Amino acid sequence: MDEYFAFIVQMPNPTPMKNHIHLIVQVEDVPLSLTMQNLSLRYTKWINFSQNRTGHVFQGRYKALLVDADSYLLELVRYVHLNPVRAGIVKSPELYPWSGHHCYLGDEALPWLTTNFVLSQFGSTTLRGTPIASL
């Protein structure tokens, strides 16, 4: 298994999850710290430009966990997809627009989001119509 890291990024301003985002990142040649630095810089520039503001967007350093087992990765994917439901933001994961859930259902494709490994753990390459909560 390649190395995956799950982490939470704390954010002081309102975001879809109010104060944080969850990401699951597969690390290959580029170290996680450089990936996070690049993501943070680009996102901060976009937010500051789109909201005509300046300054930091992220509060403190991200928290990272090494995912060292396929079963743990599946639990994290389930947790991330169900988090907006458990937070009372939406009634089902497919109603949350800021998630990669639609990619796992096969309804959308994002060039930076790969679903093949996670889906292969269920013996299928598509989850069209299958709620992730029932997996």
Side-chain angles (χ1 to χ4, degrees), residues 70-123:
D70 293 348
S71 59
Y72 186 45
L73 174 63
L74 296 179
E75 285 299 318
L76 286 171
V77 169
R78 182 187 331 244
Y79 174 82
V80 169
H81 285 242
L82 291 176
N83 199 24
V85 176
R86 292 179 178 138
I89 297 170
V90 293
K91 292 188 186 262
S92 66
E94 57 271 10
L95 298 176
Y96 190 64
W98 302 101
S99 168
H101 187 72
H102 294 280
C103 296
Y104 285 88
L105 292 174
D107 295 338
E108 182 180 356
L110 298 172
W112 48 267
L113 178 61
T114 58
T115 59
N116 291 347
F117 179 77
V118 170
L119 292 176
S120 72
Q121 301 302 296
F122 301 104

Side-chain angles (χ1 to χ4, degrees), residues 7-43:
F7 52 94
I8 298 173
V9 180
Q10 300 295 323
M11 304 175 76
N13 58 334
T15 65
M17 286 302 296
K18 303 295 182 216
N19 66 351
H20 67 280
I21 57 175
H22 293 147
L23 301 170
I24 300 173
V25 176
Q26 180 181 8
V27 176
E28 292 178 351
D29 297 334
V30 179
L32 179 62
S33 59
L34 290 179
T35 300
M36 289 303 300
Q37 182 182 30
N38 187 339
L39 178 65
S40 174
L41 176 67
R42 289 172 183 263
Y43 185 75

